[in-house]
């Protein structure tokens, strides 16, 4: 009886917790400027609460708390109204219970049902178990965006809550979800202008993938906070005095660079935390005197603060006259502070700040019967993606890469010869511009005139360039074009046309090869094709056929001799067996096959894999792309041959694998004892002088007793830089070597690099 009571009490406590969470959501909604449609939100909550009754999340909480939390994010952090809040509360009902989309439509109407249907299509994370399913699900995601942008906004809110509660998941799932978030969701949030959410998604992903580095940067940020605050107060004091004199209503905020951004800069620039100088930025948010004066007020503030501090001549970014495609508007200026450091100042009105933080939702007005206003750049982006979706991609990772080219893009503004303004991604080339005008123009492009000067197709455009495209009917798409185009549209079109041509060449090559083999009396079978593929160093038979078809490979005597040699070898082998001799190769082959059979055991992805010395040398493969060593943050990937390949977690290949083949990722743990040696490359840079090289080798060989495999030093204009390949046991050895080299007087920079 007592046990029954305690169970009942537990249920009552859970129900009270659920009701409190829902009441908080209602309070948040009532505090917004949206029309107060409390009745339909309450109805959606009661329906979802009943549907999910008794179901628990992995953390042990009642499941309904997840939809409530997603609805809170939708309301507070993205700024959407009652339709979106209802859809967020109902987003898992169709997938997880017996209710259908038709049930939702009958009770809540067409609009909410349409959004819930869109969310159900892309449920369970974007990615399924197989590559083809991943690409299909991602296509569904992008297609639903074009129906109603709220689908993807709610999906991002769902992912944000999952990231906030990722601690209750298994480690291999954490890597999959974190990798997927960095690869797809953070860029999507950025593209939709959800700056605050993008930053949090990046930070949370980083926290789970590299916990030690995250904690270290967090500690250093806390240790330098007082010093930063002092700089902020001193820097902004004269600015405040000037803005007060101008009679403006404003507030000034200190914006600290995110932990993920700091780490990313440390990796790309190969510098320590102490050498990141743009951690602090200043944000001025003002209330315009009236909306017509908003733009003028921004420039008035810029002129006023430029008289106090000297501005950097090349670092004025005017996102006010030309907003980013995600709606972002602000004026960025970099000023020289009295402490001798450059500090970026971002000038925005309150409206611009809303758009910067909440993205499209802040200015995306929905009419009651559906439909939307002010589409512009987002519509153009969605149209580009639809064009890419029309071309079926056989490889999911290629497809995701193509889309990502558009997600990450920062913009530049270029002009046509007639003065029409075009928005292009940063680093776009003349060829990208040609394809943006029309596929035919891109296909027949032979060059361009930029600012009336002739440039090659690969020329990178800059903001303000005027571009004229030159074409010729004789021009055809070249394979190397794929290497320098940067836009998704151009890449997709080039790939599609090259694939079409390759298919035609492949069929022609197959026909030529069949004729050649028939003349020589050799059967046209897989064995013959494989031998020719190996002879000419092609990866696949298809590549061989294409080369024969397009005339790059002409079959001749070398190919005939290959089959004559084979016939001779077979005769010798037959003789050796018939005289009862033991064939050594055959015996060795049988013995080698045994361990391969043993390796086909199923690996449990839920368990953490121990990386011992024995396992590293016999069972697992260290990835060539990133050369992991003991102590690195790593993960395992089970390939199609059931082999385990160890990658660094931040390795670009691993990033793709996590987001595209998440079900094959295994969490790993080093268990090594300095028995094995691994090759690493150390980069050094400093001031050239007599004896520097001698000091470097002294530190490595004598002090630390480490073997150097290769040393390349180059000196120019008094500066030397070098790469040292040496053998170490683990990351601690690398740290010791780098720290000791930094003590050498003239060495200014030391870091481990991938060579």
């Amino acid at each position: 009886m007592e046990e029954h009571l305690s169970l009942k009490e537990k249920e009552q406590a859970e129900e009270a917790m659920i009701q409190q969470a829902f009441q908080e959501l209602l309070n948040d909604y009532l505090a917004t400027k949206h029309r107060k449609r409390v009745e339909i939100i309450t109805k959606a909550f009661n329906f979802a609460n009943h549907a999910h009754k008794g179901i628990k999340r992995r953390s042990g909480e009642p499941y309904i708390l997840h939809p409530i939390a997603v609805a809170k994010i939708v309301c507070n952090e993205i700024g959407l109204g009652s339709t979106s809040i209802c859809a967020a509360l109902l987003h898992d009902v169709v997938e997880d219970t017996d209710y259908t989309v038709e049930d939702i439509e009958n009770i809540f109407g067409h609009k909410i049902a349409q959004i819930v249907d869109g969310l159900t299509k892309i449920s369970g994370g974007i990615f399924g178990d197989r590559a083809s399913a991943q690409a299909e699900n991602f296509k569904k995601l992008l297609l639903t965006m074009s129906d109603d942008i709220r689908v993807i906004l709610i999906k991002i809110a769902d992912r944000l809550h999952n990231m906030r509660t990722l601690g209750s998941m298994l480690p291999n799932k954490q890597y999959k979800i974190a990798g997927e978030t960095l690869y797809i969701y953070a860029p999507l949030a950025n593209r939709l202008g959800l700056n605050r959410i993008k930053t949090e998604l990046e930070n949370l992903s980083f926290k789970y993938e590299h916990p030690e580095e995250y904690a270290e940067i967090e500690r250093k940020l806390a240790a330098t906070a007082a010093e930063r605050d002092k700089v902020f107060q001193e820097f902004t004091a004269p600015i405040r005095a000037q803005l007060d004199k101008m009679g403006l209503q404003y507030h000034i905020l200190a914006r600290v660079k995110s932990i993920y951004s700091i780490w990313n800069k440390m990796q790309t620039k190969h510098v320590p935390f102490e050498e990141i100088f743009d951690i602090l930025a200043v944000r001025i948010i003002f209330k315009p005197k009236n909306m017509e004066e908003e733009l003028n007020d921004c420039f008035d503030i810029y002129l006023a603060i430029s008289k106090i501090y000297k501005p950097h001549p090349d670092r004025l970014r005017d996102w006010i006259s030309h907003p980013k495609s995600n709606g972002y508007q602000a004026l960025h200026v970099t000023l020289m502070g009295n402490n001798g450091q450059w500090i970026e100042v971002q000038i925005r009105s309150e409206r611009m700040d809303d758009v910067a933080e909440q993205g499209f939702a802040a200015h995306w007005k929905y009419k009651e019967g559906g439909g939307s206003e002010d589409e512009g750049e987002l519509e153009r982006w969605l149209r580009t993606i639809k064009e890419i979706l029309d071309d079926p991609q056989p490889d999911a990772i290629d497809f995701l890469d193509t889309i990502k080219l558009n997600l990450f893009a920062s913009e530049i503004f270029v002009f046509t010869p007639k003065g029409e303004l075009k928005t292009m991604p940063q680093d776009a080339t003349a060829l990208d511009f040609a394809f943006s005008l029309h596929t035919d123009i891109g296909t027949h492009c032979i060059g361009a005139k930029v600012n009336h000067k002739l440039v090659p197709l690969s020329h990178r455009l800059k903001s303000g360039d005027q571009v004229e495209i030159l074409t010729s009917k004789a021009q055809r798409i070249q394979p190397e074009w794929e290497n320098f185009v940067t836009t998704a549209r151009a890449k997709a079109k080039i790939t599609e046309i090259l694939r079409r041509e390759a298919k035609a060449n492949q069929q022609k090559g197959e026909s030529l090869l069949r004729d050649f083999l028939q003349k020589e009396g050799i059967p046209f079978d897989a064995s013959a094709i494989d031998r020719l593929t190996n002879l000419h160093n092609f990866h696949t038979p298809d590549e061989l056929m294409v080369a024969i078809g397009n005339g790059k490979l002409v079959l001749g005597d070398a190919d005939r001799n290959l089959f004559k040699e084979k016939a001779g070898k077979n005769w010798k082998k037959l003789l050796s067996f018939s005289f009862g001799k033991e064939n050594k190769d055959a015996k060795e082959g049988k013995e080698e096959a045994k361990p391969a059979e043993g390796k086909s055991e199923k690996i449990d992805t839920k368990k953490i894999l121990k990386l011992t010395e024995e396992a590293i040398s016999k069972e697992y493969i260290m990835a060539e792309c990133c050369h992991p060593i003991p102590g690195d943050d790593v993960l395992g990937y089970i390939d199609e041959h059931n082999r385990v390949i160890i990658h660094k977690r931040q390795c670009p290949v691993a990033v793709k694998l996590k987001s595209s083949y998440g079900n094959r990722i295994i969490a790993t743990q080093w268990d090594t004892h300095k028995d094995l040696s691994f090759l690493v490359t150390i980069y050094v840079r400093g001031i050239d002088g007599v004896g520097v090289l001698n000091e470097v080798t002294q530190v490595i060989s004598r002090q630390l007793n480490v073997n150097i495999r290769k040393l390349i030093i180059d000196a120019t204009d008094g500066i030397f830089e070098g790469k040292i390949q040496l053998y170490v046991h683990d990351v601690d050895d690398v740290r010791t070597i780098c720290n000791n080299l930094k003590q050498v007087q003239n060495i200014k920079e030391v870091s481990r690099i991938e060579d």
Side-chain angles (χ1 to χ4, degrees):
M1 183 74 182
E2 201 173 326
E3 194 180 307
H4 179 69
L5 267 176
S6 64
L7 187 67
K8 196 174 179 185
E9 282 168 1
K10 196 176 172 187
E11 282 175 2
Q12 285 171 345
E14 279 184 356
E15 191 54 41
M17 180 168 55
I18 291 165
Q19 291 299 333
Q20 187 189 340
F22 175 63
Q23 192 54 51
E24 284 170 13
L25 168 65
L26 274 187
N27 294 343
D28 292 345
Y29 170 66
L30 290 168
T32 68
K33 292 173 184 172
H34 289 283
R35 285 177 303 123
K36 308 296 180 265
R37 299 179 66 204
V38 173
E39 193 182 324
I40 194 161
I41 293 174
T42 308
K43 189 175 169 186
F45 161 70
N46 289 332
F47 185 86
N49 193 19
H50 172 73
H52 293 300
K53 201 152 202 71
I55 302 166
K56 297 276 193 285
R57 292 194 89 201
R58 192 179 176 88
S59 58
E61 289 182 333
Y63 192 87
I64 186 66
L65 291 177
H66 167 65
I68 293 171
V70 174
K72 274 188 184 175
I73 293 168
V74 162
C75 175
N76 298 332
E77 298 179 54
I78 304 181
L80 295 172
S82 58
T83 303
S84 301
I85 291 168
C86 290
L89 288 167
L90 299 164
H91 80 271
D92 279 333
V93 166
V94 174
E95 190 197 356
D96 293 344
T97 72
D98 294 333
Y99 290 103
T100 64
V101 174
E102 286 72 27
D103 295 332
I104 303 284
E105 182 156 5
N106 291 335
I107 301 166
F108 296 98
H110 174 69
K111 195 58 173 157
I112 290 172
Q114 187 187 19
I115 297 171
V116 171
D117 186 35
L119 288 160
T120 306
K121 280 180 188 169
I122 52 173
S123 59
I126 289 176
F127 304 105
D129 286 347
R130 298 178 314 283
S132 59
Q134 292 149 17
E136 281 310 307
N137 280 328
F138 191 55
K139 285 180 185 179
K140 283 178 191 167
L141 170 79
L142 294 165
L143 286 168
T144 53
M145 281 177 72
S146 56
D147 290 338
D148 195 323
I149 193 71
R150 288 177 287 192
V151 173
I152 190 57
L153 292 170
I154 297 165
K155 190 65 198 171
I156 287 170
D158 179 38
R159 175 50 57 114
L160 178 59
H161 186 246
N162 283 336
M163 286 302 297
R164 285 174 178 173
T165 56
L166 197 57
S168 57
M169 302 293 281
L170 292 167
N172 68 313
K173 287 280 186 217
Q174 289 177 354
Y175 299 151
K176 172 196 182 298
I177 293 167
E180 197 178 270
T181 300
L182 262 186
Y183 195 68
I184 297 294
Y185 284 97
L188 261 178
N190 184 44
R191 190 67 165 134
L192 295 169
L194 303 168
N195 186 53
R196 200 185 296 144
I197 288 177
K198 177 213 68 156
T199 303
E200 189 177 348
L201 288 173
E202 287 175 343
N203 276 347
L204 287 168
S205 298
F206 175 52
K207 186 178 183 177
Y208 283 101
E209 296 224 290
H210 303 285
E212 288 171 14
E213 279 102 324
Y214 183 92
E216 178 69 4
I217 295 171
E218 193 174 40
R219 188 185 61 73
K220 286 182 175 176
L221 276 175
T224 52
E227 187 189 328
R228 258 194 320 279
D229 188 51
K230 186 173 173 238
V231 169
F232 173 71
Q233 297 301 340
E234 287 174 0
F235 179 79
T236 55
I239 293 175
R240 287 174 200 277
Q242 183 59 38
L243 296 181
D244 289 341
K245 206 184 285 179
M246 291 164 72
L248 282 167
Q249 286 184 51
Y250 67 91
H251 56 282
I252 300 182
L253 303 174
R255 187 212 59 118
V256 177
K257 204 175 186 71
S258 76
I259 293 178
Y260 173 76
S261 296
I262 291 169
W263 177 78
N264 217 13
K265 195 160 188 179
M266 286 164 65
Q267 299 302 304
T268 51
K269 302 276 187 193
H270 298 297
V271 292
F273 176 89
E274 292 68 28
E275 287 178 35
I276 306 284
F277 297 116
D278 61 345
I279 287 174
L280 174 70
V282 170
R283 195 169 284 162
I284 299 170
I285 301 163
F286 69 93
K287 191 171 189 172
K289 292 158 191 161
N290 57 61
M291 286 316 288
E292 287 74 35
E293 292 297 309
E294 187 184 42
L295 193 142
N296 290 340
D297 287 349
C298 282
F299 282 97
D300 287 346
I301 293 170
Y302 163 62
L303 289 169
I305 63 177
S306 297
K307 288 173 185 167
I308 303 167
Y309 299 110
K310 287 277 176 286
H312 192 296
D314 300 324
R315 289 204 208 155
L316 175 66
R317 298 282 179 270
D318 176 10
W319 299 114
I320 291 175
S321 312
H322 304 296
K324 289 188 180 184
S325 61
N326 60 19
Y328 180 83
Q329 282 184 288
L331 199 58
H332 291 197
V333 56
T334 303
L335 304 172
M336 173 61 81
N338 293 332
N339 61 351
Q341 277 187 20
W342 291 107
I343 294 177
E344 185 182 69
V345 179
Q346 300 167 357
I347 304 164
R348 309 171 173 176
S349 68
E350 287 177 351
R351 180 192 65 80
M352 292 171 190
D353 191 57
D354 280 347
V355 172
E357 297 308 318
Q358 294 184 333
F360 278 112
H363 59 97
W364 199 264
K365 307 293 180 202
Y366 285 93
K367 296 172 188 168
E368 257 319 284
S372 57
E373 303 164 3
D374 185 36
E375 295 172 6
E377 284 287 349
L378 179 73
E379 275 304 303
R380 277 205 285 280
W381 181 57
L382 290 172
R383 207 161 44 242
T384 304
I385 285 170
K386 274 184 191 168
E387 284 179 19
I388 295 162
L389 295 176
D390 290 341
D391 171 38
Q393 293 277 343
D395 186 331
I397 286 183
D398 283 353
F399 173 76
L400 294 177
D401 274 352
T402 306
I403 294 293
K404 265 175 66 71
L405 289 172
N406 262 23
L407 293 185
F408 271 141
S410 299
E411 284 99 4
I412 58 169
F413 304 98
V414 294
F415 297 90
T416 66
K418 291 180 180 173
E420 188 187 339
L421 185 71
K422 292 269 181 187
T423 305
M424 295 293 292
Q426 203 165 4
D427 293 331
T429 60
L431 187 58
D432 286 308
F433 184 74
F435 273 100
S436 77
L437 299 172
H438 197 278
T439 303
D440 273 354
I441 296 173
T443 306
H444 298 110
C445 180
I446 52 170
K449 281 185 176 177
V450 173
N451 306 327
H452 310 295
K453 287 181 184 172
L454 196 62
V455 297
L457 300 179
S458 57
H459 176 83
R460 292 195 185 279
L461 302 174
K462 295 191 204 64
S463 256
D465 281 347
Q466 190 169 26
V467 189
E468 181 188 349
I469 298 298
L470 309 173
T471 60
S472 161
K473 284 290 175 197
Q475 176 69 296
R476 285 172 64 250
I477 280 184
Q478 306 300 315
E480 58 270 20
W481 287 9
E482 281 189 295
N483 300 329
F484 57 76
V485 290
T486 62
T487 57
R489 178 188 176 130
K491 200 151 195 125
K493 288 295 173 192
I494 291 166
T495 307
E496 178 193 352
I497 293 164
L498 286 175
R499 199 183 299 132
R500 215 183 300 138
E501 286 180 4
K503 198 166 184 182
N505 283 326
Q506 189 183 328
Q507 287 168 348
K508 186 181 172 187
E510 200 173 314
S511 174
L512 289 169
L513 179 59
R514 192 186 296 272
D515 293 346
F516 174 82
L517 292 175
Q518 272 177 356
K519 275 182 194 166
E520 300 301 320
I522 300 157
F524 181 75
D525 58 17
S527 166
I529 295 167
D530 285 344
R531 299 199 69 223
L532 283 168
T533 303
N534 293 334
L535 174 70
H536 294 288
N537 295 321
F538 289 110
H539 292 108
T540 64
D542 287 352
E543 287 179 21
L544 172 78
M545 305 293 187
V546 170
I548 296 168
N550 63 22
K552 285 184 180 171
L553 172 63
V554 179
L555 299 167
D557 290 341
D559 307 285
R560 289 186 191 94
N561 294 338
L562 176 73
F563 292 104
K564 284 175 190 168
E565 281 171 29
K566 167 89 174 179
K569 279 181 188 170
N570 282 348
W571 179 244
K572 282 178 191 169
K573 197 184 273 187
L574 186 63
L575 277 174
S576 71
F577 275 118
S578 59
F579 284 98
K581 287 182 184 172
E582 187 179 310
N583 186 298
K584 189 165 177 279
D585 290 345
K587 187 178 176 185
E588 282 176 2
K590 276 179 191 167
E591 284 174 3
E592 277 176 16
K594 280 179 189 170
E597 283 167 25
K599 275 304 289 161
S600 63
E601 290 172 32
K602 188 114 173 77
I603 296 161
D604 187 354
T605 55
K606 291 180 181 175
K607 288 185 179 166
I608 294 177
L609 200 67
K610 287 267 197 264
L611 301 178
T612 61
E613 264 98 353
E614 189 182 0
I616 291 165
S617 51
K618 288 182 182 174
E619 293 175 45
Y620 309 137
I621 299 164
M622 293 291 155
E624 286 293 313
C625 47
C626 55
H627 301 291
I629 65 171
D632 283 330
D633 288 339
V634 292
L635 49 77
Y637 167 69
I638 306 166
D639 73 2
E640 57 274 20
H641 304 298
N642 210 36
R643 298 174 305 184
V644 176
I645 300 165
I646 308 300
H647 285 272
K648 282 190 194 173
R649 285 181 214 156
Q650 81 267 30
C651 156
V653 176
V655 170
K656 290 182 190 179
L657 295 172
K658 278 179 288 190
S659 43
S660 299
Y661 299 102
N663 56 311
R664 295 193 200 166
I665 297 297
I666 329 168
T668 54
Q669 197 173 53
W670 294 106
D671 187 14
T672 55
H673 306 90
K674 293 191 183 281
D675 289 343
L676 292 177
S677 288
F678 298 86
L679 196 63
V680 297
T681 305
I682 304 288
Y683 171 79
V684 291
R685 189 167 185 269
I687 298 159
D688 195 17
V690 179
V692 169
L693 181 58
N694 184 37
E695 281 189 77
V696 168
T697 51
Q698 289 260 17
V699 167
I700 296 169
S701 300
R702 292 200 185 163
Q703 285 184 29
L704 302 168
N705 198 23
V706 172
N707 286 329
I708 298 176
R709 183 194 178 203
K710 191 176 178 186
L711 177 63
I712 304 166
I713 297 279
D714 187 26
T716 316
D717 298 332
I719 301 292
F720 82 89
E721 56 182 354
K723 289 179 185 176
I724 309 160
Q725 277 192 355
L726 36 83
Y727 288 98
V728 297
H729 297 115
D730 53 26
V731 167
D732 288 340
D733 285 0
V734 175
R735 209 172 283 128
T736 305
I737 290 163
C738 289
N739 288 339
N740 285 28
L741 284 172
K742 281 175 187 170
Q743 306 307 314
V744 176
Q745 191 181 0
N746 283 338
I747 292 181
K748 303 297 176 191
E749 194 180 325
V750 183
S751 59
R752 174 183 164 198
I753 59 168
E754 304 306 335
D755 196 25

